[in-house]
Amino acid sequence: MDHHPQQGRSYEIVTDALTRKMGPPRYPRSPEQWTNYLCPVHEDDGQHHNPSLGVRYDAAQERTIVRCWARCDDEEVVARIGLRVRDMFDRLPERARNSTNTSANNAHTSTTSKGSARRSFGTGGRSARPQSTSQKSAGQVVSPVEKAILAAHFPILSKPDLGVQTGRPETVDSYIYRWPNGRVEGAVHRVRTPHEHGDAKSFWQAHWTGTEWERTGFAPIPWKLADIREALDTGREIYVCEGEKDVQRANQAGQIATCNAMGAGSWTPEHARWLAGAARVIVVADRDRPGYRHAAKVADSLAERVGEVRVVQARDGKDLSDHFDAGYDLTDLEPVKYLDRAQNARFRSAPVNRGQQQRTRSR
């Protein structure tokens, strides 16, 4: 219908704003492919950076996707270039209408007159006026992940000011991604950059062509595929973490674990298919908004592929590493309300694998 904005308009708005703020991309590609820009959150310091903000257009959803490979928050990214979350969409999702069916123009009016309402679009967006129970049940469906986020009462965090950069970036770890036969596909490199008030953390990817490394993304395969194959063959449970560091900590605790490259928001159905047939998968969510959304995406993609999916989180701290550092073990992981799919009230881990005796903690 003619009243919809032209498809792709959001991509023009976002890329124009990024170009004005950060400059044009070094290697522009078609809208349906990822084009990397400098990130306005962590690369707007005038220093040399390898652009780490990916932008592409999703024609099926009629929206533009922005994703910082260093894991900056999407909402903060668009705010830094003078936009709102709604600017990432060609058109806003249609509001539920009652039998009187208000006109499209009224959907954009402010709440200056009694009975009118304007829905603010964003994470957990709400209408300006409270709705009755019948209105909510008829026209507003809150997803389990949004319920989980609301129940967790996460604070609104701002990125800390680390001051000026005081040293050269240093690669502190590299994680090699291999196919089940051992062939190298790519790598994720963890970088630490010293600043006045602490260290900045960032990541970058490289693809192995067979003869050289190219600084680009690689095939969507989970980390440690050989371990996943072992779990499928033996019936052992698999932990899915948000990043490689937590996978290593789970390994140290005697568990098989995996993750996708580049953290929250990067899990795909292609990753999920490698876990098909697993008896039990335990998704460990980071305790923040992106972490909950990532865990929900992972769990949803596995629901029809594996025997059981659990969604748990650290008892203390943000992630599994913090959980272990606080002195807790795997039996202390807590189910995430609204996301965990098991019926039992408390999460209990299976016995520790690889012959390791499970550590206990006095309470």
Side-chain angles (χ1 to χ4, degrees), residues 149 154 157 242 264 285-293 318:
I149 289 171
F154 290 128
L157 299 178
E242 188 172 306
D286 275 18
R287 297 186 73 138
D288 56 18
R289 291 177 176 83
Y292 272 28
R293 293 194 176 99
K318 178 185 177 184

Side-chain angles (χ1 to χ4, degrees), residues 170-175 189-193 201-202:
E170 175 189 5
T171 299
V172 295
D173 215 338
S174 296
Y175 311 106
H189 302 280
R190 184 186 187 96
V191 178
R192 180 184 65 87
T193 305
K201 177 181 69 174
S202 60

Side-chain angles (χ1 to χ4, degrees), residues 213-231:
W213 289 100
E214 289 185 348
R215 192 158 182 151
T216 185
F218 51 86
I221 60 173
W223 196 35
K224 295 182 176 288
L225 267 179
D227 288 355
I228 293 176
R229 295 293 293 269
E230 177 189 342

Side-chain angles (χ1 to χ4, degrees), residues 1-10 62 89-92:
M1 298 178 64
D2 294 336
H3 69 271
H4 290 325
Q6 182 181 1
Q7 189 179 53
R9 177 61 178 163
S10 62
E62 297 184 337
F89 293 79
D90 289 350
R91 60 186 179 90
L92 294 181

